[in-house]
Amino acid sequence: MEEKQLPETPQDVSNKEVIRSLKKKNWKSYFKEFFMLFLAVFFGFLAENYRESLSARNIEKEYILSLVEDLKTDTTNLSLYISFRKEKSVLMDSLAGMMLSEDRSLMGNQIYFLARQVFNEQAFIYSDGTIQQLKNAGNLRLLRKRNVVNELLKYEKKVKVLEDWDENDNRTKSTFREMGGKVFNSSELNKTMDANMKFVMPTTNPQLITDDFRIINEIAFQIHFLSKMTKGNSLRANSLRSDAIGLLELIQKEYKLN
């Protein structure tokens, strides 16, 4: 018995035409389509990288401008720190000299006035907000100029050295404070500062409470030691200020901020 062939439907004809059209395509057509798809993906990748690069550059610029402001603040604070310590060193040398003088009984007003100022302090406050953000967030890599990063880290280390020396200064002042009760009349010393925390020169010529030269010499030694530490810190701060100015100039040059 012969099999009857079913007549072709319009759908069958349509499918056959699609198959015939696909067979007619050669390898060049497939390559062209692949290449166009590759270009679309590639250029999309480049565009995304470009957008990320622009974002990183903008963030870098914000950090750089913030660093510049921090360094400007540091130079101002260091100038005040240096000036204060130079003056204080001179005052403490004068105080030690008066205490060791045979005429110290005639200089009670000046001795007590200067003795109160041994505890006066003006610390250097490091403006480290930006560098701490860079380090904590791992964003130092955003700074493309590696010489700037290296100098910035060196500067931070020198700040730490100055802070350590300031801490030594504070420990020595603690020793002076502990010994002061053996030499100074507490009530008279307290009068050298008014209600507004301003230094006041006595007018009653208050005296030391001991004539024991060994004790007087010991506290004068502490004052001289503090004076030299104070002067040394002013020199360290001056060097640090030069570094801050140099770092500012380097940043302005490398990032063309002028």
Side-chain angles (χ1 to χ4, degrees), residues 45-110:
F45 175 75
L46 289 181
E48 183 62 27
N49 276 357
Y50 179 68
R51 282 193 294 270
E52 289 181 359
S53 176
L54 281 180
S55 177
R57 294 280 181 89
N58 289 334
I59 294 173
E60 179 189 26
K61 185 175 181 180
E62 290 178 6
Y63 276 127
I64 286 299
L65 292 176
S66 184
L67 274 174
V68 166
E69 291 306 311
D70 284 352
L71 287 168
K72 287 180 178 179
T73 301
D74 280 354
T75 56
T76 299
N77 289 342
L78 284 167
S79 293
L80 295 173
Y81 177 97
I82 293 164
S83 177
F84 174 83
R85 271 163 172 67
K86 283 183 176 178
E87 181 178 348
K88 186 174 178 181
S89 177
V90 172
L91 292 178
M92 286 193 289
D93 280 341
S94 297
L95 172 60
M98 290 178 188
M99 292 184 67
L100 294 172
S101 171
E102 293 181 356
D103 296 325
R104 57 181 170 273
S105 62
L106 303 177
M107 297 181 282
N109 292 335
Q110 294 94 325

